[in-house]
Amino acid sequence: MSERIEKIMENYSQIVMECKCIENQINSFKGITEDDAIEFMYFSQPDSERIQTNAISNKTATIAITYKEKREQINREWMEHLCKRYSVLSEQLLFFQSAVLSLSGILPDFIKDMVIASVTWDSLAEKYHISRTMVAKNRKKAIKELEILYSLYDKELEEYILS
């Protein structure tokens, strides 16, 4: 459990950046062009063994008939992928941020400074008038409290899914 929390803490800024990037992709989504769809279909290889039943290839005719449907399908699937990825990332960020706000004592502000604002350990020690050792202890204490909150979240999600 702590590995998951530490991974989020270490990669927080990258997760935020990826989430914003995906949000921008969704907002400005245009999909693949007709030319790209035709090129993709023309140069793609069939997944299964190909058995030629006649002497004349009908690949061009097939592309002409189905490229629009294939393009719409590719665009729809790509948009679904972006939306799912955005949903997962934003849910991960939202829960982490709310869990941090639920920590005890000075830990909410401390972890916001450490993780969200990316303040260095030396700056944290100076700001909170503590030693670097105490910075490590506060971080460890926060991770333990976050483990409890994530455990409750996982249990709640499991109960919801099974109900």
Side-chain angles (χ1 to χ4, degrees), residues 1-11 143 147:
M1 177 72 75
S2 66
E3 295 90 22
R4 177 170 83 171
I5 295 166
E6 288 185 38
K7 185 177 179 184
I8 292 170
M9 290 173 74
E10 291 168 10
N11 299 317
I143 289 172
E147 283 178 352

Side-chain angles (χ1 to χ4, degrees), residues 11-163:
N11 299 317
Y12 183 83
S13 60
Q14 288 92 352
I15 296 169
V16 169
M17 188 170 44
E18 185 180 353
C19 198
K20 286 179 183 176
C21 180
I22 293 171
E23 182 179 12
N24 290 333
Q25 285 179 311
I26 291 169
N27 291 336
S28 63
F29 185 79
K30 291 187 180 32
I32 64 170
T33 65
E34 292 176 357
D35 291 340
D36 290 340
I38 291 169
E39 187 176 321
F40 168 76
M41 291 174 71
Y42 188 76
F43 291 109
S44 67
Q45 298 295 322
D47 292 337
S48 60
E49 232 180 90
R50 186 174 169 173
I51 301 172
Q52 189 149 354
T53 56
N54 60 14
I56 301 171
S57 170
N58 64 355
K59 189 170 191 175
T60 305
T62 303
I63 291 171
I65 294 170
T66 63
Y67 87 93
K68 193 172 186 176
E69 292 169 6
K70 186 69 172 174
R71 178 179 162 255
E72 289 172 358
Q73 177 189 357
I74 291 168
N75 287 339
R76 185 177 49 255
E77 288 173 357
W78 181 245
M79 179 57 98
E80 287 172 4
H81 167 76
L82 290 174
C83 290
K84 284 178 187 175
R85 182 72 180 141
Y86 179 78
S87 178
V88 167
L89 289 174
S90 60
E91 176 66 27
Q92 187 179 35
L93 288 173
L94 185 63
F95 182 77
F96 179 77
Q97 292 163 349
S98 64
V100 165
L101 293 175
S102 301
L103 297 174
S104 64
I106 66 159
L107 292 178
D109 292 330
F110 183 83
I111 294 299
K112 280 195 293 187
D113 286 340
M114 177 183 266
V115 176
I116 298 171
S118 299
V119 176
T120 65
W121 282 35
D122 290 330
S123 298
L124 285 169
E126 186 178 316
K127 180 177 180 177
Y128 291 95
H129 308 290
I130 57 177
S131 66
R132 281 182 58 91
T133 304
M134 198 61 197
V135 170
K137 287 181 180 180
N138 281 346
R139 181 181 182 278
K140 191 174 183 177
K141 182 178 179 187
I143 289 172
K144 284 185 179 183
E145 289 185 23
L146 287 169
E147 283 178 352
I148 293 168
L149 294 171
Y150 271 85
S151 176
L152 291 171
Y153 174 77
D154 290 343
K155 185 177 180 182
E156 188 177 292
L157 184 61
E158 181 183 328
E159 287 175 0
Y160 173 76
I161 290 172
L162 294 176
S163 66

